[in-house]
Each structure stands twice: as C-alpha cells, then as structure tokens.
Amino acid sequence: MWKKPENDKQMSGPETFEAPQARPQPAAQDRQALLGSSLTVEGTISGAEDLVIEGTVKGTIDLKSNTVMIGRSGRVEGDVHALDITIEGEVLGNVFAGERASIRRSGFVKGNVVSPRVVVEDGARLKGSIDVDSVESSKKMETKIVTADGHEKKEKKDKEKENGAVSTFM
Amino acid sequence: MAGVQRINFARCTSKDLASTNKLEPGTTLYRSPAAHELLRFLGTRQRSTVLDFGPLLRENVEMLTSYHCKMFVEDFHQGFSEESIAEIPPESLDLALCWDVLNYLDKSQAERLLGLIEARMKPDGRLLFLIASGNEVPKYPLRFRIVDREHMACEVDSAETIPKTPLSSRTIYALLSSWKPVHALHLRNGLQEHLFAFRG
C-alpha cells in the first residue's frame, strides 16, 4: 500500500496557503450595530440593521424595518422609528414602533408611544401618551394583512383585539 | 398602613382569590363597582382617550389599551405638570383617573386640577377618584391596579401616614358642580370610591 512519506511535507516545496474563505456576511438587515456608552451621535441615524444604543443620540433614529434597543445607559433625544423598540434607558422624544414598543423597568420616555402593541414593565416611567390604535399603527396592521395570506392574518388581528393589544412582562 | 386596612377576601370569588397569589405584600384587593362601571362605559365608546394620574402600571395599560384607549400618563407620584396636561386638546378626554390624588391637594390645588380636567373633558366623560375617610393618608399616594372588570388592587409604598389635607367630600362635591355623580361607595379599606359624569 502506498504510504505517504513522513517527510512529504518537507519535500513538497514552499508551503502554500489557501486564501482564507470569506466568512458569509449576514444580510444588512440581519446585522446589529452597537453604539457604545462613551459615544454621542448628533444627527439622523438611518439604515437597515438592528441597533443597540448604550451611548447618546441627539437626533432621529429611522430604522423602520429593524429592531432598536436603547440600553440602560442609552439616551435618545429625538424620535425613534423602528419595527421593534425596547427601552431600558431614556428617550426624550416620540417612539413609533411598527410592531411592538417595550418599556422596561428602568426605562423612561418623555413623549408619545405609538405602536399596535405596547409592553410595559412595572417601574417604567412615561410622561406622555400611549396610542395602540393610531392611524399610523392601524395602517401598519392593514399592510400586514394585505401582504400575508389575508384571512388568517385578519383573524389574528381580531384575536389580538379581543385579547387586548398589550402583553406584559411577568 | 394606618390609613388602609385589609379587605375581606371572603367576598371575592375563587378566581379572584387565585389571582391574589400574584399580588405583592401590602396590596389590598377589593371589589370595585366603579371599575365595572367605567369599563362598561369605555366599552360603549369607539376609541376613548384617558388621562391617568397614576404611575405606569402594566395591568392598567393592558386593560385600557384592550379597549383601544389612547392613554395620557401624568404620574402624580413623579410630580405632574400643568403644562403637560395643557397639551391635551380641549374636549378630548373620555375618562380621567384621579385615583387618590385629591387626598394630597388643598382646596385651591384641587380646584385648579379639576378645572384643567374639565376643560379637556368630553360631555358625559367620566372622572374616577377615591377619598380617604379618615384623617390620615399614606405618606405617598396609593397605586391602583385594575385587576379585572370587578376588582381593583391598591398598594402602599410606606407604612408611614400623614394628616390628610382638610379637603372634605363635601368640599370636593362643591367643586364638582359641572359633574353629576354616577356612583359612590364606602369601601371597607377606608376609602370612598366616586365616579362622576361630566355635564359638559
């Protein structure tokens, strides 16, 4: 049986390296960006990736198709538009969530929260209003009904209405 | 907790007693005809607007938004501002939840607050408030949760009590000349529960 000589490697001449395979890059909408606690951004943040804010943003956040998490040390001075918004820090502005807005125990919002689904935890603070049935959030719900398999989605919406649009942390 | 006494849980249904397992120590569960009446009232309206002077509590948010209410939260515990209330459009409110806030105001403050509410209330809108029967009230306002359609729970933060402001039920009634009483009840926990309708 043929056996590879032990010094085969030495005999094979200069060692060659294969170019490392490029890691599959997640689609833009699957990525998550982090704004660290020592960072401050002034101006509008827009794009198509999820965002975790531990620093300060002075301006509008416009990530309507993504998730935004404002961490405990995070502070936003401006409106936040996203699909799903979780607030553990502070928002001095309006919150528009296409699907769900969550205010955690440590969270504070000075502004209006507009979303078809609002989740609050005891201890959360809000100076402003909660609107689960605004024209904007209704439009969002209607869009979902049209794009998905109509009948089932409609039933789901009706069920949500029956059960109440808000769920809670236990 | 001198101002608040435990309610007789024997009056509650088994379902309610089961739900008391979820209640924190220092919490009183009581049968509330006002809760029933105001939820029935919200059920008759298309999309109500509510002004809540209590803290942001998950049960209340859950219950009120299930009626598709728009909620303005102006937490008396955190100190409310007239400017915030002034931002609410005139004749837009269907319900104001004052809870036990009036126990902590003198006559002029109560008059001012009720004036702000009246200016924003729709005709036939409702006002809920509770008045302590005794001369003392908890140091900090109670937290009230709408547990279900029949019950509320109230919680105290501190056992300390302070003298109640000299604002009697009679004085409050005099300040509510633009309102008509819908419901009033002395609760066993030393509170009087009142629900009024705005004449407009």
Side-chain angles (χ1 to χ4, degrees), chain B residues 8-154:
Chain B
N8 181 4
F9 285 106
R11 293 188 67 194
C12 301
T13 65
S14 56
K15 184 185 166 197
D16 304 319
L17 286 170
S19 72
T20 61
N21 294 333
K22 289 192 266 178
L23 299 176
E24 300 286 330
T27 301
T28 302
L29 181 72
Y30 63 93
R31 193 180 294 278
S32 167
H36 178 79
E37 175 55 30
L38 69 88
L39 292 176
R40 189 201 61 76
F41 168 75
L42 291 176
T44 64
R45 302 241 158 172
Q46 274 290 319
R47 185 170 175 265
S48 302
T49 302
V50 178
L51 172 58
D52 185 353
F53 286 98
L56 193 62
L57 298 176
R58 62 183 176 87
E59 285 85 355
N60 296 357
V61 174
E62 184 176 346
M63 183 63 81
L64 294 170
T65 54
S66 74
Y67 285 84
H68 299 273
C69 296
K70 178 175 181 175
M71 283 181 74
F72 286 93
V73 180
E74 198 54 49
D75 185 356
F76 185 78
H77 293 240
Q78 304 288 334
F80 68 88
S81 65
E82 288 189 13
E83 291 77 18
S84 302
I85 300 171
E87 287 173 14
I88 300 172
E91 291 195 31
S92 62
L93 288 179
D94 294 276
L95 172 65
L97 299 168
C98 267
W99 307 117
D100 62 343
V101 164
L102 295 176
N103 288 328
Y104 297 86
L105 303 179
D106 61 28
K107 189 184 172 189
S108 64
Q109 290 169 324
E111 196 167 13
R112 180 83 187 135
L113 178 67
L114 291 170
L116 285 166
I117 293 169
E118 283 176 13
R120 278 141 197 95
M121 193 58 72
K122 285 181 190 169
D124 202 37
R126 298 291 197 267
L127 170 70
L128 173 74
F129 62 93
L130 294 102
I131 305 170
S133 302
N135 295 323
E136 292 198 322
V137 291
K139 189 175 181 184
Y140 303 107
L142 297 163
R143 283 190 302 269
F144 293 87
R145 293 177 198 268
I146 306 169
V147 176
D148 57 32
R149 292 181 67 88
E150 306 287 338
H151 295 90
M152 294 231 221
C154 68

Side-chain angles (χ1 to χ4, degrees), chain A residues 151-169:
Chain A
H151 185 62
E152 195 178 318
K153 284 291 176 186
K154 190 170 188 312
E155 278 186 349
K156 190 182 173 196
K157 188 192 175 193
D158 291 345
K159 190 77 181 168
E160 277 176 2
K161 278 195 170 189
E162 270 172 32
N163 295 339
V166 173
S167 62
T168 55
F169 299 115

Side-chain angles (χ1 to χ4, degrees), chain A residues 70-147:
Chain A
I70 295 134
R72 278 176 175 259
S73 61
R75 179 182 167 93
V76 177
E77 298 173 15
D79 293 351
V80 183
H81 300 259
L83 198 62
D84 190 305
I85 302 169
T86 302
I87 300 159
E88 290 183 351
E90 284 186 0
V91 177
L92 309 179
N94 300 313
V95 173
F96 300 95
E99 283 186 0
R100 186 182 66 167
S102 311
I103 312 174
R104 300 277 184 167
R105 189 178 302 273
S106 55
F108 172 61
V109 177
K110 188 175 182 184
N112 305 314
V113 178
V114 180
S115 174
R117 194 162 174 231
V118 178
V119 183
V120 300
E121 196 174 44
D122 276 7
R125 289 175 301 138
L126 169 71
K127 211 162 180 62
S129 68
I130 291 175
D131 195 349
V132 294
D133 215 18
S134 73
V135 176
E136 232 177 271
S137 52
S138 301
K139 270 185 190 167
K140 191 80 192 178
M141 294 296 283
E142 292 302 324
T143 307
K144 280 171 74 178
I145 293 162
V146 173
T147 52

Side-chain angles (χ1 to χ4, degrees), chain A residues 42-59:
Chain A
E42 291 190 26
T44 300
I45 295 178
S46 62
E49 51 193 288
D50 297 344
L51 177 62
V52 177
I53 300 167
E54 291 291 356
T56 301
V57 176
K58 295 180 179 176

